[in-house]
Amino acid sequence: DAGVTQSPTHLIKTRGQHVTLRCSPISGHKSVSWYQQVLGQGPQFIFQYYEKEERGRGNFPDRFSARQFPNYSSELNVNALLLGDSALYLCASSSNDRVRNTEAFFGQGTRLTVV
Amino acid sequence: GDSVTQMEGPVTLSEEAFLTINCTYTATGYPSLFWYVQYPGEGLQLLLKATKADDKGSNKGFEATYRKETTSFHLEKGSVQVSDSAVYFCALSILNRDDKIIFGKGTRLHILP
């Protein structure tokens, strides 16, 4: 079975542009979460979606948005990119919306560089 | 707010040495605790977890015990290998909150042959 897949793996964008990152969860998983990992730091929670509804939002500006599709795949959108948005963006999926009882599986991430 | 503090790295050890990476947490609820590992160029993998006080999580020779009295979840391994070189993250999540995982800053581990 395929794990969590993210695309693209690497991306270079210019300040002010927007970007869309994609995530396909493990088959059967209905929950998708997004994290930002700045170099040298731990991942920071951005969003969680379950059954196409937003269940949680971290402390990120409105430039960050996300959605989940009927097939449970997800997109993370970032508008008006800043240099500080350069990071590894990680997607995690789980079989339900309670991380405590099920493992969250992470993808390899998308490395975004803003120049 | 809820947070995780872990020892700063890098930690450099010789092969077969004993490993301890300290982790303490602050949480207003009753968290589940995790250790994740990130190998170079890869995403995060769950290494072990514990969901209640005094539980011991273990995997691949690594162990950590949930200590509520000291709010700690230290990672240990009796004999490390070169292949254990990676970044290790201590983390928590709290049921009945927005299901986020809160991570520490990570500890880079180098094992020398």
Coordinates of all heavy atoms in Angstrom, one line a residue, chain A residues 53-114:
Chain A
E53 N -14.1 18.6 6.6 CA -14.4 19.8 7.4 C -13.1 20.1 8.2 O -12.4 19.3 8.7 CB -15.5 19.5 8.4 CG -16.9 19.4 7.8 CD -18.0 19.2 8.8 OE1 -17.7 19.2 10.0 OE2 -19.1 19.1 8.4
E54 N -12.9 21.4 8.4 CA -11.8 21.9 9.2 C -12.0 21.6 10.6 O -13.0 22.1 11.2 CB -11.5 23.4 9.0 CG -10.3 23.9 9.7 CD -10.2 25.4 9.5 OE1 -10.0 25.9 8.4 OE2 -10.2 26.2 10.6
R55 N -11.1 20.9 11.3 CA -11.3 20.5 12.7 C -10.3 21.3 13.6 O -10.5 21.3 14.8 CB -11.1 19.0 12.9 CG -12.2 18.2 12.4 CD -13.5 18.4 13.1 NE -14.6 17.5 12.7 CZ -14.8 16.3 13.2 NH1 -14.0 15.8 14.2 NH2 -15.8 15.5 12.8
G56 N -9.3 21.8 13.0 CA -8.3 22.5 13.8 C -7.5 23.5 13.0 O -7.2 23.2 11.8
R57 N -7.1 24.6 13.6 CA -6.3 25.6 12.9 C -5.2 26.1 13.8 O -5.5 26.4 15.0 CB -7.1 26.7 12.4 CG -6.4 27.9 11.8 CD -7.4 29.0 11.5 NE -8.2 28.7 10.3 CZ -7.9 29.2 9.1 NH1 -7.0 30.1 8.9 NH2 -8.7 28.9 8.1
G58 N -4.0 26.1 13.4 CA -2.9 26.6 14.2 C -2.7 28.1 14.0 O -3.5 28.8 13.4
N59 N -1.7 28.7 14.6 CA -1.5 30.1 14.7 C -0.7 30.6 13.4 O 0.4 30.9 13.5 CB -0.7 30.5 16.0 CG -0.6 32.0 16.1 OD1 -1.5 32.7 15.6 ND2 0.4 32.4 16.9
F60 N -1.4 30.5 12.3 CA -0.9 31.0 11.0 C -1.8 32.0 10.4 O -3.0 32.0 10.7 CB -0.8 29.8 10.1 CG 0.4 28.9 10.4 CD1 0.4 28.0 11.4 CD2 1.6 29.1 9.6 CE1 1.6 27.2 11.6 CE2 2.7 28.3 9.9 CZ 2.7 27.4 10.9
P61 N -1.2 33.0 9.7 CA -2.0 34.0 9.1 C -3.0 33.5 8.0 O -2.9 32.4 7.6 CB -1.0 35.0 8.4 CG 0.2 34.1 8.2 CD 0.2 33.1 9.3
D62 N -3.9 34.4 7.7 CA -5.0 34.0 6.7 C -4.4 33.7 5.3 O -5.2 33.3 4.5 CB -6.0 35.1 6.7 CG -6.8 35.2 7.9 OD1 -6.8 34.3 8.7 OD2 -7.5 36.3 8.2
R63 N -3.2 34.1 5.1 CA -2.6 33.7 3.8 C -2.5 32.2 3.6 O -2.4 31.7 2.5 CB -1.1 34.3 3.7 CG -1.0 35.8 3.8 CD 0.4 36.2 3.7 NE 1.3 35.7 4.7 CZ 2.2 34.8 4.5 NH1 2.4 34.2 3.3 NH2 3.0 34.4 5.5
F64 N -2.6 31.5 4.7 CA -2.6 30.0 4.6 C -4.1 29.5 4.6 O -4.9 29.9 5.5 CB -1.9 29.4 5.8 CG -0.4 29.6 5.8 CD1 0.2 30.9 6.1 CD2 0.4 28.6 5.5 CE1 1.5 31.1 6.1 CE2 1.8 28.8 5.5 CZ 2.4 30.0 5.8
S65 N -4.4 28.7 3.7 CA -5.7 28.1 3.6 C -5.6 26.6 3.1 O -4.5 26.2 2.6 CB -6.6 28.8 2.7 OG -6.2 28.8 1.4
A66 N -6.6 25.8 3.3 CA -6.5 24.4 2.9 C -7.9 24.0 2.6 O -8.9 24.6 3.0 CB -5.9 23.6 4.0
R67 N -8.0 22.8 2.0 CA -9.3 22.2 1.8 C -9.0 20.7 1.6 O -7.9 20.2 1.3 CB -10.0 22.7 0.6 CG -9.2 22.7 -0.7 CD -10.1 23.3 -1.9 NE -9.3 23.4 -3.1 CZ -9.9 23.6 -4.3 NH1 -11.2 23.8 -4.4 NH2 -9.1 23.7 -5.4
Q68 N -10.1 19.9 1.8 CA -10.1 18.5 1.6 C -11.1 18.1 0.6 O -12.3 18.6 0.7 CB -10.3 17.8 3.0 CG -10.0 16.3 2.9 CD -10.1 15.6 4.2 OE1 -10.9 16.0 5.1 NE2 -9.4 14.5 4.4
F69 N -10.8 17.2 -0.2 CA -11.7 16.8 -1.3 C -12.5 15.5 -0.9 O -12.1 14.8 0.0 CB -10.9 16.6 -2.6 CG -10.2 17.8 -3.0 CD1 -8.9 18.0 -2.7 CD2 -10.9 18.8 -3.7 CE1 -8.2 19.2 -3.1 CE2 -10.3 20.0 -4.1 CZ -8.9 20.2 -3.8
P70 N -13.5 15.2 -1.7 CA -14.3 14.0 -1.4 C -13.5 12.7 -1.3 O -13.9 11.7 -0.6 CB -15.3 13.9 -2.5 CG -15.5 15.3 -2.9 CD -14.2 16.0 -2.8
N71 N -12.4 12.6 -2.0 CA -11.5 11.4 -2.0 C -10.5 11.5 -0.8 O -9.6 10.7 -0.7 CB -10.8 11.2 -3.3 CG -9.8 12.3 -3.6 OD1 -9.7 13.3 -2.9 ND2 -9.0 12.1 -4.7
Y72 N -10.7 12.6 0.0 CA -9.9 12.8 1.3 C -8.5 13.4 1.0 O -7.7 13.6 1.9 CB -9.8 11.6 2.1 CG -11.1 11.0 2.5 CD1 -11.6 9.8 2.1 CD2 -12.0 11.8 3.3 CE1 -12.9 9.3 2.4 CE2 -13.3 11.3 3.6 CZ -13.7 10.1 3.2 OH -14.9 9.7 3.5
S73 N -8.1 13.5 -0.3 CA -6.9 14.2 -0.6 C -7.0 15.7 -0.1 O -8.2 16.2 0.1 CB -6.5 14.2 -2.0 OG -7.5 14.9 -2.8
S74 N -5.9 16.4 -0.1 CA -6.0 17.8 0.5 C -5.0 18.7 -0.2 O -4.0 18.2 -0.8 CB -5.6 17.7 2.0 OG -5.6 19.0 2.5
E75 N -5.3 19.9 -0.2 CA -4.4 21.0 -0.7 C -4.2 22.0 0.3 O -5.1 22.4 1.1 CB -5.0 21.7 -2.0 CG -5.1 20.9 -3.2 CD -5.7 21.7 -4.4 OE1 -6.2 22.8 -4.1 OE2 -5.6 21.2 -5.5
L76 N -2.9 22.5 0.4 CA -2.6 23.6 1.2 C -2.2 24.7 0.3 O -1.4 24.6 -0.6 CB -1.4 23.3 2.1 CG -0.8 24.4 3.0 CD1 -1.8 24.8 4.1 CD2 0.5 24.0 3.6
N77 N -2.8 25.9 0.5 CA -2.5 27.1 -0.3 C -1.9 28.2 0.5 O -2.3 28.4 1.7 CB -3.8 27.6 -1.0 CG -4.4 26.6 -1.9 OD1 -4.0 26.5 -3.0 ND2 -5.5 25.9 -1.5
V78 N -0.9 28.8 0.0 CA -0.3 29.9 0.7 C -0.2 31.1 -0.3 O 0.4 30.9 -1.4 CB 1.1 29.6 1.2 CG1 1.7 30.7 2.0 CG2 1.1 28.3 2.0
N79 N -0.8 32.2 0.0 CA -0.8 33.4 -0.8 C 0.3 34.4 -0.4 O 0.7 34.3 0.8 CB -2.2 34.0 -0.8 CG -3.2 33.2 -1.4 OD1 -3.0 32.5 -2.4 ND2 -4.4 33.2 -0.9
A80 N 0.6 35.3 -1.3 CA 1.5 36.4 -0.9 C 2.8 35.9 -0.2 O 3.0 36.3 0.9 CB 0.8 37.4 -0.1
L81 N 3.5 35.0 -0.8 CA 4.6 34.3 -0.1 C 5.6 35.3 0.4 O 6.0 36.3 -0.2 CB 5.3 33.3 -1.1 CG 4.5 32.0 -1.4 CD1 5.1 31.3 -2.6 CD2 4.5 31.1 -0.1
L82 N 6.1 34.9 1.6 CA 7.2 35.7 2.2 C 8.4 34.8 2.3 O 8.3 33.6 2.3 CB 6.8 36.1 3.6 CG 5.5 37.0 3.8 CD1 5.2 37.2 5.2 CD2 5.7 38.3 3.1
L83 N 9.6 35.4 2.5 CA 10.8 34.6 2.7 C 10.7 33.7 3.8 O 11.2 32.5 3.8 CB 12.0 35.6 2.9 CG 12.4 36.5 1.7 CD1 13.6 37.3 2.1 CD2 12.7 35.7 0.4
G84 N 10.0 34.1 4.9 CA 9.9 33.3 6.1 C 9.0 32.1 5.9 O 8.9 31.2 6.8
D85 N 8.3 32.0 4.7 CA 7.5 30.8 4.5 C 8.3 29.6 4.0 O 7.8 28.5 3.8 CB 6.4 31.1 3.4 CG 5.4 32.1 3.9 OD1 5.2 32.2 5.2 OD2 4.9 32.9 3.1
S86 N 9.6 29.9 3.7 CA 10.5 28.8 3.3 C 10.6 27.7 4.4 O 10.9 28.0 5.5 CB 11.9 29.3 3.0 OG 11.9 30.2 1.9
A87 N 10.2 26.5 4.0 CA 10.2 25.4 5.0 C 9.9 24.1 4.4 O 9.6 24.1 3.2 CB 9.1 25.8 6.1
L88 N 9.9 23.1 5.2 CA 9.4 21.8 4.8 C 7.9 21.7 5.2 O 7.6 21.8 6.4 CB 10.2 20.6 5.4 CG 9.8 19.2 5.0 CD1 10.1 18.9 3.6 CD2 10.6 18.2 5.9
Y89 N 7.0 21.4 4.3 CA 5.6 21.3 4.6 C 5.2 19.8 4.6 O 5.4 19.1 3.6 CB 4.7 22.1 3.6 CG 4.9 23.6 3.9 CD1 6.0 24.3 3.3 CD2 4.0 24.3 4.7 CE1 6.1 25.6 3.5 CE2 4.2 25.6 4.9 CZ 5.3 26.3 4.3 OH 5.5 27.6 4.6
L90 N 4.8 19.4 5.8 CA 4.5 18.0 6.0 C 3.0 17.7 6.1 O 2.3 18.5 6.7 CB 5.1 17.5 7.3 CG 6.6 17.5 7.3 CD1 7.1 17.3 8.8 CD2 7.2 16.3 6.5
C91 N 2.6 16.7 5.5 CA 1.2 16.2 5.5 C 1.1 14.9 6.3 O 2.0 14.1 6.2 CB 0.6 16.0 4.1 SG -1.0 15.3 4.1
A92 N 0.1 14.8 7.2 CA 0.0 13.6 8.0 C -1.5 13.1 7.8 O -2.4 13.9 7.8 CB 0.3 13.8 9.4
S93 N -1.6 11.8 7.7 CA -3.0 11.2 7.7 C -3.2 10.2 8.8 O -2.2 9.6 9.3 CB -3.3 10.6 6.3 OG -2.7 9.3 6.2
S94 N -4.4 10.1 9.2 CA -4.7 9.0 10.2 C -6.1 8.5 9.9 O -6.9 9.1 9.2 CB -4.7 9.6 11.6 OG -5.6 10.6 11.8
S95 N -6.4 7.4 10.5 CA -7.7 6.7 10.1 C -8.9 7.3 10.8 O -10.0 7.1 10.4 CB -7.6 5.2 10.5 OG -7.4 5.1 11.9
N96 N -8.7 8.1 11.9 CA -9.8 8.9 12.4 C -9.3 10.2 12.9 O -8.1 10.5 12.7 CB -10.6 8.1 13.5 CG -9.8 7.8 14.7 OD1 -9.0 8.6 15.1 ND2 -9.9 6.6 15.2
D97 N -10.1 11.0 13.5 CA -9.6 12.3 13.9 C -9.1 12.3 15.3 O -9.0 13.4 15.9 CB -10.8 13.3 13.8 CG -11.9 13.0 14.7 OD1 -12.0 11.8 15.2 OD2 -12.8 13.9 15.0
R98 N -8.8 11.2 15.9 CA -8.2 11.2 17.2 C -6.8 10.6 17.2 O -6.6 9.4 17.2 CB -9.1 10.4 18.2 CG -10.5 11.0 18.3 CD -10.4 12.4 18.9 NE -11.7 13.0 19.1 CZ -11.9 14.3 19.1 NH1 -10.9 15.2 19.0 NH2 -13.1 14.8 19.3
V99 N -5.8 11.5 17.2 CA -4.4 11.0 17.1 C -4.1 10.2 18.2 O -3.2 9.3 18.1 CB -3.5 12.3 17.0 CG1 -2.1 11.8 17.0 CG2 -3.8 13.1 15.8
R100 N -4.7 10.3 19.3 CA -4.3 9.6 20.5 C -4.5 8.1 20.3 O -3.8 7.3 20.8 CB -5.2 10.1 21.7 CG -4.9 9.4 23.0 CD -5.7 10.0 24.1 NE -5.3 9.4 25.4 CZ -5.7 9.9 26.5 NH1 -6.5 11.0 26.6 NH2 -5.4 9.3 27.7
N101 N -5.5 7.7 19.6 CA -5.8 6.3 19.4 C -5.3 5.7 18.2 O -5.4 4.5 18.0 CB -7.3 6.1 19.6 CG -7.8 6.4 20.9 OD1 -7.2 6.1 21.9 ND2 -9.0 7.1 21.0
T102 N -4.9 6.5 17.2 CA -4.3 6.0 16.0 C -3.1 6.7 15.6 O -2.9 7.9 16.0 CB -5.3 6.1 14.9 OG1 -5.6 7.5 14.6 CG2 -6.6 5.4 15.2
E103 N -2.2 6.1 14.9 CA -1.0 6.7 14.5 C -1.2 7.7 13.4 O -2.0 7.4 12.5 CB 0.0 5.6 14.1 CG 1.4 6.1 13.6 CD 2.3 5.0 13.3 OE1 2.0 3.9 13.6 OE2 3.3 5.3 12.6
A104 N -0.5 8.8 13.5 CA -0.5 9.7 12.3 C 0.7 9.4 11.5 O 1.8 9.3 11.9 CB -0.4 11.2 12.9
F105 N 0.5 9.2 10.2 CA 1.5 8.8 9.2 C 1.9 10.0 8.4 O 1.0 10.7 7.8 CB 1.0 7.7 8.3 CG 0.8 6.4 9.0 CD1 -0.4 6.1 9.6 CD2 1.8 5.4 9.0 CE1 -0.6 4.9 10.3 CE2 1.5 4.2 9.6 CZ 0.3 3.9 10.3
F106 N 3.2 10.3 8.4 CA 3.6 11.5 7.7 C 4.2 11.2 6.3 O 4.8 10.1 6.1 CB 4.7 12.2 8.5 CG 4.2 13.0 9.7 CD1 3.9 12.3 10.9 CD2 4.0 14.3 9.6 CE1 3.5 13.0 12.0 CE2 3.5 15.0 10.7 CZ 3.3 14.4 11.9
G107 N 4.0 12.1 5.4 CA 4.6 12.1 4.1 C 6.0 12.6 4.1 O 6.5 13.0 5.2
Q108 N 6.7 12.5 3.0 CA 8.1 12.9 2.9 C 8.2 14.5 2.9 O 9.3 15.0 3.1 CB 8.7 12.4 1.6 CG 8.6 10.9 1.4 CD 9.9 10.3 1.9 OE1 10.4 10.5 3.0 NE2 10.4 9.4 1.1
G109 N 7.1 15.2 2.6 CA 7.1 16.6 2.7 C 7.4 17.3 1.4 O 7.9 16.6 0.4
T110 N 7.1 18.5 1.3 CA 7.4 19.4 0.2 C 8.3 20.5 0.7 O 8.0 21.2 1.6 CB 6.1 20.1 -0.4 OG1 5.3 19.1 -1.0 CG2 6.5 21.1 -1.5
R111 N 9.5 20.6 0.1 CA 10.5 21.6 0.5 C 10.2 22.8 -0.4 O 10.4 22.8 -1.6 CB 11.9 21.1 0.2 CG 13.0 22.1 0.4 CD 13.2 22.4 1.8 NE 13.7 21.3 2.6 CZ 13.8 21.3 3.9 NH1 13.5 22.4 4.6 NH2 14.2 20.2 4.6
L112 N 9.7 23.9 0.3 CA 9.4 25.2 -0.4 C 10.5 26.2 -0.1 O 10.8 26.4 1.1 CB 8.0 25.7 0.1 CG 7.7 27.1 -0.4 CD1 7.5 27.1 -1.9 CD2 6.4 27.6 0.3
T113 N 11.0 26.7 -1.1 CA 12.0 27.8 -1.0 C 11.4 29.1 -1.6 O 11.0 29.0 -2.8 CB 13.3 27.4 -1.7 OG1 13.8 26.2 -1.1 CG2 14.4 28.5 -1.5
V114 N 11.4 30.1 -0.9 CA 10.9 31.4 -1.4 C 12.1 32.3 -1.5 O 12.9 32.5 -0.6 CB 9.9 32.0 -0.4 CG1 9.3 33.4 -1.0 CG2 8.7 31.1 -0.2

